[in-house]
Amino acid sequence: MNLDPALLEIIVCPDCHGDLAVTGEELVCQACGLAYPVRDDIPVLLVDEARRPG
């Protein structure tokens, strides 16, 4: 995964506005735990596409 570090500093979880951290091939919210996929180096920040913690 190749994401711009500046982008990672400004994007937040669309559900709770928590900080996102890179975990494998996903961006995981540090507040609510939702895991957002990254496809072709583009974060898919749609709550419907997120994997629920579990």
Side-chain angles (χ1 to χ4, degrees), residues 30-52:
Q30 300 302 293
C32 69
L34 287 177
Y36 297 92
V38 178
R39 297 186 187 121
D40 298 324
D41 294 333
I42 300 170
V44 181
L45 298 177
L46 300 171
V47 175
D48 291 343
E49 295 281 328
R51 184 174 54 80
R52 298 272 172 200

Side-chain angles (χ1 to χ4, degrees), residues 4-28:
D4 185 354
L7 176 66
L8 291 174
E9 289 183 22
I10 61 171
I11 59 175
V12 295
C13 175
D15 190 47
C16 74
H17 305 286
D19 292 329
L20 297 173
V22 175
T23 304
E25 292 294 316
E26 298 177 315
L27 295 175
V28 178

